């Protein structure tokens, strides 16, 4: 029997929870279908969800902890409860001292790509029609590196340059950091940072770990990216 692939729908659930919580009910209709990951049944919105990070297990572990709102595992009275939630979810096991040990996610995390490469890849795919036809396309990227405002502007400029002259583009770029979500309007160039507190991280993470049957959303989870 081959290795079990990490359930990518965890990240799509986290993205959906953050979008509906931070940006409102416009996103509450989104469901999980293939190409793109989150989409409205009427094809008004289609959002692809991905990750941009160094390709290493250590970085993957660190990102999961930060997404859970665990900043300093050794000095966090609530961390043990967060660790238990993660382990009980089936996404990791053997968690000790803030480190995830083995489990089902390794092969999946190895597929993550740094920011510039992932943007170029996704822009090419949406322009080719790979994600179908939607009124508005969005690209939601989990960023492990803490981007400065200048780096966010550079990412937006880079994406804009790649999309110049294309018929099908991403109208919105969502850059998800641990302490804020940057909502970047690719048509106007406007960048809106939305602060995310540690408690909000915890809530997003725990809600994303809930069963898809309980939420009634994201019913068609896929086992590969």
């Amino acid at each position: 029997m081959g290795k079990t692939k990490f359930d990518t729908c965890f990240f799509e659930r986290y993205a959906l929870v953050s979008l509906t919580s931070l940006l409102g009910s416009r996103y509450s209709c989104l469901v999980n279908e293939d190409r793109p990951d989150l989409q409205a049944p009427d094809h008004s919105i289609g959002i692809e969800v991905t990750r941009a990070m160094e390709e290493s297990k250590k970085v993957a572990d660190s990102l999961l902890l930060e997404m859970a709102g665990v900043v300093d595992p050794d000095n966090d009275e609530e961390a043990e409860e967060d660790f238990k939630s993660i382990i009980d979810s089936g996404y990791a096991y053997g968690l000790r001292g803030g480190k995830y040990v083995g489990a089902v996610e390794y092969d999946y995390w190895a597929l993550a790509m740094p920011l510039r490469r992932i943007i170029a890849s996704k822009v090419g795919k949406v322009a080719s029609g790979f994600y179908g036809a939607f009124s508005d396309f969005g690209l939601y990227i989990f960023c492990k590196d803490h981007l400065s405002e200048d780096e966010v502007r550079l990412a937006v400029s880079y994406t804009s340059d790649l999309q110049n002259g294309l018929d099908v583009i991403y109208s919105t770029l969502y850059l998800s950091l641990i302490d804020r979500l940057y909502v970047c309007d690719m048509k106007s160039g406007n960048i809106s940072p939305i602060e995310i507190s540690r408690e909000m991280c915890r809530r997003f993470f725990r809600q994303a770990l809930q069963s898809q049957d309980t939420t009634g959303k994201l019913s068609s989870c896929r086992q590969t990216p």
Side-chain angles (χ1 to χ4, degrees):
M1 182 179 296
K3 292 183 179 179
T4 303
K5 295 294 184 181
F6 187 69
D7 178 3
T8 66
C9 287
F10 163 74
F11 299 95
E12 292 154 18
R13 285 196 295 272
Y14 193 104
L16 180 57
V17 170
S18 69
L19 288 170
T20 54
S21 298
L22 299 172
L23 300 179
S25 60
R26 176 172 183 255
Y27 297 89
S28 62
C29 66
L30 298 179
V31 295
N32 181 216
E33 298 290 347
D34 200 9
R35 301 181 187 180
D37 296 313
L38 299 175
Q39 54 183 267
D42 63 359
H43 280 214
S44 58
I45 310 173
I47 299 176
E48 181 68 3
V49 179
T50 189
R51 298 133 310 275
M53 50 179 276
E54 180 186 335
E55 300 169 20
S56 78
K57 181 66 166 57
K58 180 178 180 180
V59 174
D61 293 343
S62 177
L63 176 61
L64 279 173
L65 285 170
E66 291 174 355
M67 288 173 67
V70 180
V71 178
D72 185 355
D74 295 328
N75 296 287
D76 187 343
E77 294 180 355
E78 297 184 42
E80 190 62 34
E81 181 180 349
D82 291 320
F83 296 161
K84 184 178 185 301
S85 296
I86 297 167
I87 294 168
D88 289 346
S89 74
Y91 286 101
Y93 73 91
L95 187 61
R96 290 293 181 273
K99 300 296 182 183
Y100 290 85
V101 180
V104 299
E105 83 282 16
Y106 184 80
D107 288 342
Y108 171 71
W109 280 110
L111 299 174
M113 303 167 72
L115 187 58
R116 287 174 62 91
R117 280 196 290 146
I118 199 67
I119 289 176
S121 173
K122 296 298 182 180
V123 166
K125 285 185 176 181
V126 78
S128 72
F130 184 78
Y131 296 124
F134 288 81
S135 299
D136 285 297
F137 277 104
L139 179 59
Y140 189 109
I141 305 178
F142 289 98
C143 302
K144 175 63 184 80
D145 294 331
H146 185 84
L147 304 178
S148 67
E149 291 188 3
D150 285 343
E151 288 170 327
V152 170
R153 284 191 288 269
L154 285 172
V156 171
S157 178
Y158 176 69
T159 305
S160 180
D161 288 345
L162 289 175
Q163 296 192 144
N164 186 35
L166 299 178
D167 293 329
V168 182
I169 65 172
Y170 292 107
S171 57
T172 310
L173 178 65
Y174 307 92
L175 297 177
S176 179
L177 280 62
I178 299 309
D179 60 351
R180 69 198 63 193
L181 175 69
Y182 285 98
V183 182
C184 312
D185 187 323
M186 297 306 303
K187 296 179 180 179
S188 68
N190 184 58
I191 300 173
S192 302
I194 302 175
E195 298 296 320
I196 301 176
S197 69
R198 184 177 175 188
E199 281 308 310
M200 291 170 73
C201 278
R202 291 180 188 271
R203 177 162 55 84
F204 295 168
F205 194 90
R206 291 172 182 174
Q207 289 182 20
L209 288 178
Q210 291 176 355
S211 165
Q212 58 209 11
D213 295 329
T214 300
T215 61
K217 298 180 184 295
L218 306 170
S219 58
S220 60
C221 268
R222 300 172 307 288
Q223 296 302 307
T224 56

